[in-house]
Amino acid sequence: MESSIVTTQPLFRGTTDRVARRLLGKIVAVGSGKQIAAGIIVETEAYLPANDEACHAHSGRTPRNVTMFEGAGKLYVYSIHAGYCMNVVTEQEGNGCAVLIRAIEPVAGIKLMKKRRGKDRLIDLTSGPSKLCQALGVTTKLDGINLLETKSIQIGTSSSIRIRKFDVVVTPRIGISKATELPLRFFVDRNPYVSGLKRLHSGKTDRPLHV
DNA sequence: CTACCGATTGACT
DNA sequence: GTCAATCGGTAGA
């Protein structure tokens, strides 16, 4: 069921906010065989190349954010507090922008994710940017990797995973102190794994994407 | 070198 | 609801 994720270059093409929207409903899979862990992306945020004070690249290159300037399709992983956050770099080389993956719905490797997280309930595995990195085993070792070339981590579609039709909700980004008004957070309406304030959903959060 | 600070999480009132 | 632990990155002396 976790077989062959199809990753295509057009998936990461276009403006950062468009890519953030497009990544909803796509599969992210890390590892292979018995050690695979995977989920469906249900929440993202866009960090723009210009006029975005919340973007790590806003003040130019630093050792941490170099990957953000390496063009669409690179994986940008950084450490924050006691964990990691993973992003898909967007747009052309030199722009400095990315899409943060904030939440996924688990679909494969649940046992492995529970072990890595030290939690047993599904809702505690991947309902936040640092949680999902821990569940998937993503660290800064994967920073800078090219998603179009590697098999260590794959983001795309899978013919063996059926995705339910879904509505998208757009809100300001959360957890930041600058540029807090820009509507650059995208999430799957009513999906229980979305992080943050659940009252922003249109109804009960009981609608998994995996069917 | 020291000091400050998060694109967070989890424990607690 | 509030709040502190945590640690690598960053800026500044």
Side-chain angles (χ1 to χ4, degrees):
Chain A
M1 79 104 85
E2 66 275 356
S3 61
S4 61
I5 307 296
V6 177
T7 305
T8 57
Q9 197 262 351
L11 180 60
F12 309 124
R13 191 187 299 160
T15 59
T16 302
D17 60 323
R18 290 278 297 164
V19 177
R21 163 65 184 82
R22 189 185 302 133
L23 287 177
L24 294 179
K26 300 301 187 295
I27 309 297
V28 51
V30 181
S32 58
K34 193 77 176 175
Q35 288 298 112
I36 200 168
I40 307 165
I41 298 172
V42 297
E43 180 184 3
T44 61
E45 283 179 355
Y47 287 86
L48 307 183
N51 304 314
D52 182 3
E53 287 195 304
C55 181
H56 284 170
H58 182 257
S59 298
R61 293 177 204 239
T62 65
R64 174 178 69 164
N65 69 18
V66 282
T67 301
M68 289 192 89
F69 296 88
E70 294 180 350
K74 291 295 187 78
L75 188 75
Y76 170 47
V77 184
Y78 65 90
S79 68
I80 184 80
H81 295 281
Y84 304 97
C85 289
M86 60 179 288
N87 305 250
V88 175
V89 176
T90 52
E91 306 189 23
Q92 62 187 22
E93 286 184 32
N95 272 24
C97 42
V99 173
L100 170 70
I101 299 176
R102 285 197 59 90
I104 65 175
E105 174 180 317
V107 288
I110 308 265
K111 186 175 178 182
L112 178 58
M113 292 195 273
K114 285 181 176 177
K115 181 184 175 186
R116 284 171 172 159
R117 289 278 300 136
K119 304 276 184 181
D120 204 51
R121 298 190 326 233
L122 280 178
I123 198 64
D124 293 325
L125 300 182
T126 57
S127 57
S130 192
K131 294 179 193 176
L132 71 88
C133 282
Q134 187 179 20
L136 294 173
V138 170
T139 71
T140 48
K141 288 175 188 166
L142 292 180
D143 179 52
I145 207 164
N146 190 332
L147 291 167
L148 296 164
E149 295 174 356
T150 185
K151 289 195 172 179
S152 301
I153 174 168
Q154 296 181 291
I155 297 178
T157 56
S158 171
S159 58
S160 59
I161 298 177
R162 185 172 171 79
I163 309 292
R164 191 196 304 270
K165 183 178 180 300
F166 60 90
D167 292 324
V168 176
V169 181
V170 185
T171 74
R173 296 170 295 186
I174 59 180
I176 56 174
S177 57
K178 301 171 194 164
T180 55
E181 304 306 311
L182 300 176
L184 295 173
R185 173 174 176 243
F186 303 83
F187 65 83
V188 173
D189 190 32
R190 287 178 288 176
N191 187 276
Y193 298 95
V194 171
S195 69
L197 301 174
K198 294 301 192 294
R199 66 167 173 272
L200 291 174
H201 289 274
S202 70
K204 290 178 182 173
T205 59
D206 59 354
R207 200 101 194 271
L209 273 186
H210 190 207
V211 295

